[in-house]
Amino acid sequence: MRKLSYALYLIFIFSIGLQAQTKVTGTVYDEMNEPMPFASVYFKGTTIGVTTNENGKFTLSSDTTQKVLVASFVGYTNQEVVLKNDVTENLKVKLTIGQELQEVLIVNKPKKHLSKKENPAYRILQGIWANKKKNGVKLAKAYDYERYSSVSLGLSNLDSVFLRKIVGSGYDSVAAIVKEERRQNKFIVPVYMKETNEHVYGNNLLNKERIDMEAERNTGLNQRGFIFDRISNTFTTIDVYEDDIVILNKAFVSPISTRGYGVYEYLLKDSIVEGGKKTYHIYFFPRESADLVFEGSFKVTDKNFALTEISMRTNKNINLSLVRNLYFEKYFETVNDTMYLPTRDYYEGDFTLFTKSDDEKGFYVKKNLVYSDYVLNQPKEDAFYDGKIIQTRGNQFDKEDQYWKSLRASELKTEETRKVIQDLKSNKKVRSVTDIITVLSSGYMGLFDGVQIGYLWQLFTNNNVEGLRIRAGFRTYKTDNDRFRAMVYGAYGTKDKKFKYGAEAKYLLSFKPRIVVGASHLDDNLQLGGKLIETDELLPKNLNTNVIIGRGENYFLSRVKRTSVNFDFAFSNNLHMNVSSVRQQIKAADPEHFSIDYADPQTGLTQTGLTDYTSNISLIYTPGRYVYGFGVDQKLGTTLYPTIILKYIRGNKGVFGGDFDYNKIQMSVNKPIFLSNFGTLKTNIEFGKVFDAVPLPLLNPITADQTFSVVPNSFSLLNYYDFVTDTYLAAHFEHHFNGLIMNRIPLLKKLKWRSLIFYRFAYGSISQKNIDMNRSFIAYQAPSDKVYSEYGFGFENIGYGNFRPFRVDFIWRNDFTAVNGKQSPGFGVRFGFIPEF
């Protein structure tokens, strides 16, 4: 029995030795014998290491025998301890100030959030915050440099079987180029690439910057549609020194933001000497993985606390729809030992429809920026910075291949990507995939070269007057930069058995200054009680009568015959003046259920219709809006921007049959406010006033909506013409929390929904002279005694997997008494299909 017990004891000791040949516990102290939290402790020559806790204590073990333990901390001399035993307890290690650590350790997210005093990374962050305005080209009086940019789009994460089906016999040559570096045995298929080379000039004393396009070339798809347009504009230039980085209309907290410590965990990995300079290496992790933050690392110098490089990506648990991953790299170089300038940026976005799984096929966008040939402190004459090169033709910036090969950016090997795109451009299977995407995202389908049919999403709609409404049309479309565009549509109602139509044409008359002339004519049913302020007088952009199912009755349609001529003058991309002349004849579409009758001011006789001729002028200011392209319809970036509209309408009696002289003004201010990780507040304020007596169609009904859809800047629980005013003020406030609340509620956060709240109100009046003129079925009522308001909350980002385009709003309103038929409901639920990120 004694021999058996001894054998079992040996087996037990041997099993312990197999589990941990070397084990050390202890505490790291500084020169003042104070415990050192977050010091690095590791076995020499290995990547086996830990960091000390807030009391400086550590436990470290290895499955193999280790002889030397190393303790280190930034700014202190590494301390090596020879281990005499396999198990060492209560080891005391003292560090003294000296040289820095140069070993590389495996880094994981800290298990415990350290206070600012406990974490040495916080002191480095303070240095970055204090010096961030002293880095980059803003330190120079003047600067100029070259900036190369390439943006490529395509299909991502394809396996070899799928790729063979697409390219057939050309598989081997294509596969060698399109294999993805970050995923083994997966491929990408590029379908479009745009390259530009620009020269940037700036003068910090004048606070001016000029950007001259020098070269541009496009390869691949001609028209890309909604999906490709959206992902191609994912990335503008990202400045990590800003507290918030706006991507996909969401505000991400920068890892070096002054608010970063509240949403990130920071780990000071080590310090190293690079190029004779001491550099700290700091890792950062999201405290809440679903929040709009990043994970990654950056390097920062120890004197002026300037970044030398940073890499960051989104966490797979991030609460973003359609996004599998966003990835960024930025590199900087030193000039004169004091100024750090960007040398290269790399941005990558990977998008999927159903899941974030690495196995799912998706879409990608990659953007490379290369900065070169810096010239500092050599300012040009002041007038130079006000100059601008205007593009007037498609091939204006074409350059020979030799030019592109001579650029520093040629090291990116974009020629290989261009070759693949050219080879696949005529591939029928690739074209079929991209054509389907274009149809689904643009709503138009190619009929023959230069002509498309659509708009598919308004093919069938319904209302009380027309019954089932069938609408079809076509538009001209050759390239994104067409100088001329035309559109024609026709519609037929199965109930009223009447044909309606509309036509519009626009032409880019001048490039500099930019002048667009347009004309339109329509004969159609319009809901004037649901009309928002228009910035031009061509075909209506907001047809909220065109729905499948609506709430209540919608007989309140007007039959409108309208002809308009429109001139748009661009003082800049973001300041336009629109001048138009409009003649319209208006009558009720269904006189049995709705009338616009009024007493003629001269004769007192009742009139059932009117002719209106107006001269209109509008100013549209959109600061911060990204505009690109040079055709008649310029492209707009997807980033939210403010819009300020001021419009004056002059009614002219006796001109082209006009029945009324009147003056009308409208103004609207639409501004998104990014509130960092607290979300985005979208605000819209609109004011309008008619100064003279006019009939119902020329007044200002409070914008109602009788659909079950989420319609921006309208009132969901009003019926059409519940409120009619000649003077009004309406405001809409909608705050999107972007997951801030839902990400922190146990169980519910698994839904990945995002919450929002809203409040909107309308106040207005109607003058007695307008009331006296009224002979219509509509009794005028204005929200003058009490403000009308709606309020509620909602959830967005609803769906399955990575496809979350749905939104649900729960809405209440204050009390009012309807005077034109049925009372509108006091509570409602509205649904939105909003394919956003």
Side-chain angles (χ1 to χ4, degrees):
M1 176 66 71
R2 181 175 298 174
K3 291 183 178 180
L4 179 60
S5 298
Y6 182 71
L8 291 174
Y9 175 76
L10 290 177
I11 292 172
F12 176 72
I13 295 298
F14 181 71
S15 66
I16 293 176
L18 289 177
Q19 293 176 8
Q21 292 286 354
T22 303
K23 181 177 181 180
V24 184
T25 63
T27 307
V28 178
Y29 297 91
D30 62 15
E31 292 176 312
M32 305 299 293
N33 290 320
E34 293 292 331
M36 296 185 66
F38 245 60
S40 297
V41 182
Y42 60 97
F43 292 123
K44 186 175 182 179
T46 74
T47 57
I48 302 172
V50 296
T51 55
T52 58
N53 65 15
E54 64 272 19
N55 298 314
K57 296 185 180 296
F58 69 91
T59 299
L60 183 63
S61 60
S62 171
D63 293 340
T64 58
T65 300
Q66 304 294 336
K67 293 299 183 182
V68 180
L69 178 141
V70 181
S72 65
F73 193 83
V74 175
Y76 289 76
T77 301
N78 295 357
Q79 182 66 43
E80 295 187 0
V81 179
V82 178
L83 302 174
K84 298 179 180 180
N85 303 310
D86 291 338
V87 178
T88 303
E89 296 180 345
N90 299 319
L91 180 68
K92 295 182 179 180
V93 184
K94 180 180 289 188
L95 296 181
T96 57
I97 296 176
Q99 66 183 17
E100 59 279 349
L101 171 69
Q102 297 196 36
E103 298 276 349
V104 177
L105 302 179
I106 296 174
V107 178
N108 293 312
K109 180 179 178 180
K111 294 183 179 180
K112 179 182 177 181
H113 180 67
L114 295 181
S115 69
K116 297 174 181 178
K117 292 183 179 180
E118 295 172 322
N119 193 341
Y122 183 74
R123 294 194 295 272
I124 298 173
L125 288 170
Q126 287 179 307
I128 296 174
W129 301 335
N131 290 273
K132 67 179 182 178
K133 293 183 179 180
K134 301 177 183 179
N135 293 306
V137 294
K138 297 302 181 183
L139 275 178
K141 294 179 181 178
Y143 57 87
D144 66 77
Y145 59 88
E146 283 201 1
R147 181 173 63 196
Y148 166 87
S149 171
S150 71
V151 179
S152 59
L153 312 174
L155 309 176
S156 66
N157 216 38
L158 310 181
D159 54 42
S160 57
V161 175
F162 189 85
L163 186 63
R164 285 183 187 275
K165 289 180 180 179
I166 291 179
V167 300
S169 59
Y171 171 81
D172 292 334
S173 60
V174 172
I177 298 176
V178 302
K179 188 170 183 178
E180 285 198 81
E181 296 177 0
R182 290 182 175 81
R183 300 189 184 93
Q184 294 182 349
N185 301 319
K186 296 294 183 180
F187 302 89
I188 62 173
V189 173
V191 297
Y192 172 78
M193 184 169 68
K194 178 178 182 178
E195 297 173 89
T196 61
N197 197 55
E198 301 167 311
H199 207 114
V200 181
Y201 307 89
N203 188 313
N204 289 317
L205 297 179
L206 301 174
N207 194 28
K208 290 182 178 180
E209 187 173 78
R210 168 176 170 172
I211 302 175
D212 287 353
M213 179 74 73
E214 292 191 347
E216 179 184 59
R217 61 178 175 178
N218 294 270
T219 309
L221 284 178
N222 189 12
Q223 182 192 356
R224 300 185 297 275
F226 170 82
I227 294 177
F228 281 123
D229 275 342
R230 279 282 170 142
I231 66 174
S232 67
N233 288 290
T234 298
F235 307 122
T236 55
T237 301
I238 292 172
D239 185 357
V240 293
Y241 280 103
E242 295 289 339
D243 281 344
D244 298 302
I245 302 172
V246 178
I247 307 171
L248 305 174
N249 288 332
K250 305 291 188 296
F252 291 71
V253 180
S254 171
I256 59 173
S257 167
T258 54
R259 296 186 297 274
Y261 212 82
V263 294
Y264 286 105
E265 300 285 4
Y266 293 95
L267 173 59
L268 178 58
K269 175 186 173 185
D270 55 26
S271 69
I272 58 178
V273 175
E274 296 180 323
K277 296 179 179 62
K278 184 177 178 180
T279 303
Y280 301 113
H281 197 176
I282 295 179
Y283 278 72
F284 52 90
F285 307 88
R287 294 181 66 178
E288 173 56 57
S289 61
D291 282 350
L292 299 182
V293 292
F294 306 100
E295 62 182 35
S297 68
F298 59 82
K299 294 181 180 179
V300 58
T301 59
D302 71 333
K303 290 184 178 179
N304 52 9
F305 295 94
L307 294 185
T308 60
E309 64 181 76
I310 183 170
S311 62
M312 54 189 185
R313 68 176 71 238
T314 54
N315 186 285
K316 277 201 172 182
N317 293 320
I318 196 168
N319 198 348
L320 280 177
S321 177
L322 302 175
V323 175
R324 175 160 50 195
N325 183 50
L326 301 175
Y327 179 79
F328 311 92
E329 294 175 1
K330 296 177 78 72
Y331 300 90
F332 305 83
E333 68 178 2
T334 182
V335 177
N336 300 327
D337 292 329
T338 58
M339 189 182 302
Y340 282 79
L341 303 176
T343 57
R344 185 186 169 192
D345 297 347
Y346 174 75
Y347 309 146
E348 179 182 322
D350 194 13
F351 304 86
T352 54
L353 189 59
F354 300 110
T355 71
K356 296 184 186 292
S357 168
D358 285 338
D359 295 327
E360 183 175 339
K361 301 174 180 62
F363 308 99
Y364 77 86
V365 55
K366 295 183 179 181
K367 182 174 184 177
N368 277 285
L369 289 164
V370 177
Y371 309 85
S372 61
D373 300 333
Y374 282 99
V375 178
L376 303 176
N377 297 316
Q378 296 183 20
K380 300 182 181 298
E381 295 198 11
D382 294 357
F384 172 83
Y385 298 100
D386 294 321
K388 188 176 183 181
I389 295 176
I390 304 296
Q391 187 171 7
T392 59
R393 62 185 191 278
N395 62 352
Q396 181 171 337
F397 301 117
D398 286 358
K399 299 288 186 181
E400 300 293 333
D401 289 345
Q402 191 59 38
Y403 169 88
W404 295 99
K405 292 177 181 179
S406 69
L407 298 177
R408 175 181 168 182
S410 60
E411 63 193 37
L412 300 177
K413 298 181 179 180
T414 55
E415 289 298 325
E416 295 180 351
T417 304
R418 290 187 72 242
K419 183 179 183 303
V420 172
I421 294 173
Q422 294 286 14
D423 291 344
L424 296 178
K425 191 174 181 180
S426 59
N427 185 290
K428 293 183 179 179
K429 292 183 179 179
V430 174
R431 287 296 300 270
S432 64
V433 173
T434 57
D435 285 348
I436 291 173
I437 294 171
T438 298
V439 171
L440 293 177
S441 58
S442 71
Y444 284 90
M445 181 169 50
L447 184 61
F448 49 82
D449 186 34
V451 177
Q452 299 174 325
I453 58 174
Y455 180 65
L456 299 181
W457 311 129
Q458 289 187 353
L459 187 59
F460 298 104
T461 55
N462 182 73
N463 61 66
N464 291 95
V465 176
E466 298 173 273
L468 178 64
R469 175 184 165 104
I470 305 169
R471 183 185 188 274
F474 68 85
R475 70 174 183 178
T476 63
Y477 196 110
K478 287 188 176 182
T479 72
D480 282 346
N481 293 315
D482 289 342
R483 193 167 183 174
F484 173 78
R485 287 273 170 80
M487 182 181 73
V488 175
Y489 77 87
Y492 181 78
T494 58
K495 182 178 179 181
D496 67 352
K497 296 181 170 50
K498 293 180 179 179
F499 181 74
K500 301 94 182 172
Y501 65 90
E504 173 185 288
K506 292 188 289 185
Y507 179 69
L508 181 57
L509 188 65
S510 169
F511 290 95
K512 186 178 180 180
R514 182 179 169 85
I515 302 175
V516 175
V517 59
S520 70
H521 180 75
L522 68 81
D523 185 351
D524 201 351
N525 293 336
L526 302 180
Q527 178 49 265
L528 302 182
K531 184 180 178 181
L532 303 175
I533 184 172
E534 298 282 0
T535 56
D536 63 46
E537 300 294 345
L538 299 176
L539 294 184
K541 307 299 187 297
N542 302 293
L543 295 177
N544 59 350
T545 59
N546 291 349
V547 296
I548 298 297
I549 302 175
R551 170 181 60 81
E553 296 181 339
N554 184 14
Y555 289 100
F556 301 148
L557 298 177
S558 299
R559 186 62 181 254
V560 180
K561 292 182 181 180
R562 187 173 74 187
T563 302
S564 66
V565 178
N566 189 85
F567 293 87
D568 186 87
F569 301 85
F571 300 105
S572 69
N573 277 337
N574 290 317
L575 179 59
H576 287 240
M577 180 174 68
N578 193 280
V579 178
S580 62
S581 178
V582 181
R583 182 183 188 272
Q584 53 185 347
Q585 295 173 289
I586 306 173
K587 62 180 181 180
D590 186 353
E592 292 185 8
H593 295 87
F594 173 60
S595 81
I596 61 169
D597 295 357
Y598 64 95
D600 186 288
Q602 301 298 323
T603 66
L605 298 177
T606 299
Q607 304 295 321
T608 60
L610 65 93
T611 298
D612 180 46
Y613 177 77
T614 61
S615 304
N616 315 294
I617 184 170
S618 302
L619 287 175
I620 305 102
Y621 181 47
T622 53
R625 182 178 66 171
Y626 174 54
V627 182
Y628 62 102
F630 63 94
V632 66
D633 287 324
Q634 288 184 295
K635 295 282 188 176
L636 303 179
T638 56
T639 302
L640 293 174
Y641 54 85
T643 300
I644 301 172
I645 302 172
L646 179 61
K647 185 173 184 178
Y648 171 67
I649 301 169
R650 169 63 185 173
N652 301 285
K653 183 177 181 180
V655 181
F656 294 107
D659 291 327
F660 292 93
D661 273 322
Y662 64 95
N663 297 277
K664 181 177 182 179
I665 60 171
Q666 288 179 293
M667 180 178 181
S668 72
V669 178
N670 187 304
K671 181 175 176 57
I673 302 173
F674 294 100
L675 299 174
S676 188
N677 49 310
F678 293 98
T680 304
L681 175 64
K682 297 180 180 180
T683 65
N684 186 83
I685 300 174
E686 183 176 333
F687 167 80
K689 181 174 180 62
V690 182
F691 291 90
D692 306 279
V694 290
L696 178 63
L698 306 181
L699 290 171
N700 296 317
I702 299 300
T703 305
D705 174 49
Q706 289 186 210
T707 72
F708 290 105
S709 302
V710 175
V711 177
N713 303 328
S714 65
F715 291 89
S716 301
L717 300 182
L718 282 182
N719 294 330
Y720 298 119
Y721 297 106
D722 269 347
F723 290 123
V724 178
T725 71
D726 49 32
T727 303
Y728 74 97
L729 173 68
H732 302 258
F733 304 97
E734 188 173 277
H735 185 76
H736 299 253
F737 289 99
N738 292 338
L740 177 69
I741 297 176
M742 299 295 289
N743 290 350
R744 285 158 176 77
I745 302 177
L747 299 180
L748 288 181
K749 67 180 182 180
K750 294 182 178 180
L751 295 173
K752 293 189 177 298
W753 292 2
R754 299 195 291 252
S755 56
L756 60 100
I757 58 175
F758 52 85
Y759 174 77
R760 44 198 181 235
F761 73 85
Y763 177 78
S765 61
I766 184 76
S767 64
Q768 189 61 45
K769 59 185 177 183
N770 277 309
I771 295 174
D772 294 341
M773 181 184 289
N774 180 37
R775 300 291 186 272
S776 73
F777 291 180
I778 300 298
Y780 291 175
Q781 178 180 220
S784 54
D785 295 332
K786 182 172 67 173
V787 169
Y788 173 79
S789 62
E790 295 181 355
Y791 48 88
F793 66 91
F795 300 99
E796 55 189 347
N797 206 48
I798 301 172
Y800 179 77
N802 214 28
F803 184 60
R804 298 176 168 274
F806 300 106
R807 167 178 163 177
V808 178
D809 287 1
F810 301 90
I811 310 169
W812 289 263
R813 63 165 173 80
N814 64 350
D815 292 331
F816 80 100
T817 302
V819 295
N820 292 307
K822 296 181 179 179
Q823 184 79 27
S824 61
F827 168 77
V829 180
R830 297 295 177 266
F831 304 91
F833 180 81
I834 306 171
E836 294 183 348
F837 301 103

